[in-house]
Amino acid sequence: MKLYYISVIFFYLFTFLKQFYILPSGSIGIGDMFLAASGLFLLIRIICDRKKFLYKIDIPWYVFLIAVCIINGYYYCYNSNGQFLLFTLYWLYITMAIWVFRTLVSEKFLSGLGVVCQINLLVQTSIYFLGKGRYFHENWGGSRFMGTFNDPNQFAFFIFTMLLILALIYLRSQQKKYIWLFWADAIFLIGVSKSTGVFTGVLTLIVLSVGCLIWKNYKKSKHKTAWNISLLLGAACIAMALYYIWPKANFDISSTDYTLLSRIQQKIWKFSHGNLADLLYDRSAERLILHPKYLLYGAGEGMFERFLPGDYVNQITPGVFDVIRVNEIHSSLFSVWFSYGIIPLLMLLYWGGKNIRFCDKWQLIIVMALIVESFSLMNCRQPFFWFIIIFASCYKKMGQEIQNKIGAFY
């Protein structure tokens, strides 16, 4: 049991220290080393107890992982580029994180994890108000808060996952005291990061939650006419708000106060004045059109300079989008599909579906918010993304203290 508690403590340290970026993004952080240590002590404990440690529910994941190793291994041998090995290590790291979380999870573990998530939010809030955080500065003078992170989107996604994990934990325990304050704090921090991608996740969470509450009360109500009038008024208010924020044809973000709202207006302006080629190019996804063959068997993950846009830039609307770098596709799903092909993608989706099917209505709303957000931001290398996906599947029956792990040990 001592090894188990050591693993739990190291996992909590990982969760706390993950927010402190000292080296460039993509490098091994202090928190990552504690996660590895947590996994090591947990593995030693299982070996000592002579238990097998693989879960049946994760078999599709392991098939996907094998495909990742084979495809990236092939392209490494063909191109002699170490990036393919690096991205393979990222997936091995995520595999370890999933296994550790699934093995450690219990009511007491989640209660402690919730406390750490709250501390993380308080730390980043304190850094903001003390004026000690980092800022990302636009070339025309605007700035975005990114706390202790190297990128405002990294910061916003971390805060977003803290919010979602807290929501999942407190939905189970029904401990609602003070939790609204932490959720409000998380939304405030996302606002100062000005991340439009994470905003779509927050908006999805709010819209789906409010929609479910309205529908629940609407069905019970005996005053349907009053409800219908209220809903029409609400729809009218939303339409008026959209009309108010809709950017004019001469919109220029550099002449605004540069808030989250102005960035949303900038995105709307770009999409309303550009075309599909602009949208794909902005997400580094033009290669889906230029090299569709890789959607079948995969291009490997790494060495992105192979996919120069070439004449595709002639389809870009002048002055709307300005993307000059060659990078990975900014979407978890399409990046995986392009990198590893259709069969590994289907295995990953099958694995995700097996986990998500254990969600109740409210947990599913939280997972949907994460999925919607992930179509605009690359999050596959963040362990917290996968913790949310597998959360419900760690229990066969919600509300049980004992961990009825899916498939158990075999």
Side-chain angles (χ1 to χ4, degrees):
M1 291 300 292
K2 288 183 178 180
L3 291 176
Y4 172 83
Y5 288 120
I6 291 173
S7 296
V8 170
I9 292 171
F10 280 162
F11 190 93
Y12 290 161
L13 288 171
F14 149 73
T15 304
F16 175 71
L17 294 172
K18 183 62 178 174
Q19 62 191 310
F20 298 105
Y21 276 63
I22 298 174
L23 298 174
S25 301
S27 305
I28 297 177
I30 300 174
D32 299 320
M33 291 187 286
F34 278 97
L35 178 60
S38 176
L40 178 62
F41 281 104
L42 204 55
L43 182 61
I44 292 173
R45 179 203 171 198
I46 290 175
I47 292 175
C48 291
D49 292 342
R50 297 182 179 180
K51 291 182 178 179
K52 294 183 179 181
F53 58 88
L54 298 179
Y55 298 94
K56 290 183 179 179
I57 194 173
D58 288 330
I59 290 178
W61 174 275
Y62 296 128
V63 173
F64 166 75
L65 182 64
I66 292 171
V68 167
C69 294
I70 293 173
I71 293 171
N72 281 342
Y74 167 79
Y75 283 104
Y76 169 73
C77 295
Y78 185 78
N79 296 286
S80 299
N81 189 297
Q83 285 188 8
F84 296 106
L85 298 181
L86 177 63
F87 281 91
T88 303
L89 288 176
Y90 287 148
W91 285 107
L92 291 171
Y93 165 76
I94 291 300
T95 302
M96 174 193 66
I98 291 171
W99 177 80
V100 170
F101 183 84
R102 196 185 292 282
T103 306
L104 288 179
V105 75
S106 69
E107 296 291 352
K108 289 183 177 179
F109 169 78
L110 292 176
S111 179
L113 181 61
V115 173
V116 178
C117 292
Q118 293 174 358
I119 292 173
N120 289 346
L121 293 175
L122 292 175
V123 167
Q124 294 300 325
T125 305
S126 299
I127 290 173
Y128 175 78
F129 284 107
L130 290 172
K132 301 297 183 181
R134 301 170 182 171
Y135 281 83
F136 174 82
H137 296 281
E138 304 283 0
N139 55 13
W140 44 266
S143 64
R144 298 170 60 188
F145 181 71
M146 56 186 184
T148 55
F149 291 75
N150 293 333
D151 181 270
N153 290 328
Q154 288 177 341
F155 166 76
F157 179 73
F158 178 81
I159 298 299
F160 183 54
T161 53
M162 294 298 102
L163 184 155
L164 296 185
I165 290 172
L166 280 174
L168 287 169
I169 291 172
Y170 286 94
L171 277 173
R172 286 188 49 74
S173 62
Q174 298 296 314
Q175 298 178 20
K176 298 180 181 178
K177 191 176 182 180
Y178 303 124
I179 190 59
W180 295 104
L181 293 175
F182 288 99
W183 290 346
D185 182 32
I187 293 173
F188 165 76
L189 291 172
I190 291 169
V192 297
S193 75
K194 305 181 181 73
S195 174
T196 54
V198 174
F199 169 77
T200 60
V202 174
L203 183 63
T204 301
L205 180 65
I206 294 173
V207 169
L208 292 179
S209 299
V210 172
C212 282
L213 288 173
I214 290 175
W215 179 246
K216 178 181 178 181
N217 288 282
Y218 180 82
K219 290 194 299 182
K220 292 181 179 179
S221 177
K222 297 179 180 179
H223 307 285
K224 293 292 193 295
T225 302
W227 268 100
N228 290 333
I229 293 173
S230 299
L231 291 173
L232 286 173
L233 289 174
C237 291
I238 293 173
M240 291 175 62
L242 289 173
Y243 176 79
Y244 174 76
I245 69 171
W246 199 267
K248 297 180 181 179
N250 60 347
F251 178 82
D252 183 3
I253 193 171
S254 63
S255 62
T256 69
D257 293 332
Y258 197 52
T259 61
L260 176 58
L261 177 59
S262 64
R263 292 201 79 235
I264 294 171
Q265 290 176 307
Q266 181 193 36
K267 296 292 184 182
I268 294 174
W269 180 83
K270 284 184 174 181
F271 296 142
S272 62
H273 287 75
N275 54 43
L276 178 60
D278 297 329
L279 175 61
L280 292 173
Y281 194 53
D282 183 57
R283 314 314 296 174
S284 298
E286 75 284 344
R287 67 201 64 168
L288 298 174
I289 304 298
L290 297 177
H291 308 283
K293 61 182 180 180
Y294 292 119
L295 295 174
L296 180 62
Y297 55 82
E301 197 169 6
M303 198 178 173
F304 303 112
E305 60 271 18
R306 292 175 292 164
F307 307 110
L308 295 173
D311 293 337
Y312 190 85
V313 295
N314 297 325
Q315 303 178 40
I316 307 302
T317 305
V320 176
F321 286 95
D322 183 21
V323 181
I324 58 175
R325 62 189 181 280
V326 179
N327 207 339
E328 58 190 326
I329 301 173
H330 298 356
S331 169
S332 328
L333 180 64
F334 290 107
S335 179
V336 172
W337 188 1
F338 185 82
S339 297
Y340 302 111
I342 186 64
I343 294 178
L345 173 71
L346 291 176
M347 293 305 300
L348 183 62
L349 292 176
Y350 175 64
W351 172 84
K354 289 185 67 177
N355 284 272
I356 293 173
R357 70 188 179 94
F358 288 94
C359 291
D360 61 25
K361 175 177 64 178
W362 296 105
Q363 292 170 336
L364 185 60
I365 287 175
I366 293 170
V367 172
M368 287 303 298
L370 179 69
I371 292 174
V372 169
E373 181 276 339
S374 296
F375 274 92
S376 62
L377 215 57
M378 183 69 182
N379 304 306
C380 282
R381 292 191 289 277
Q382 296 298 329
F384 301 107
F385 175 91
W386 302 105
F387 297 161
I388 294 167
I389 295 294
I390 70 172
F391 187 94
S393 72
C394 292
Y395 293 82
K396 281 187 176 179
K397 293 182 179 179
M398 307 309 291
Q400 286 186 324
E401 173 67 28
I402 187 169
Q403 307 130 283
N404 291 323
K405 296 187 175 69
I406 308 307
F409 292 110
Y410 76 103

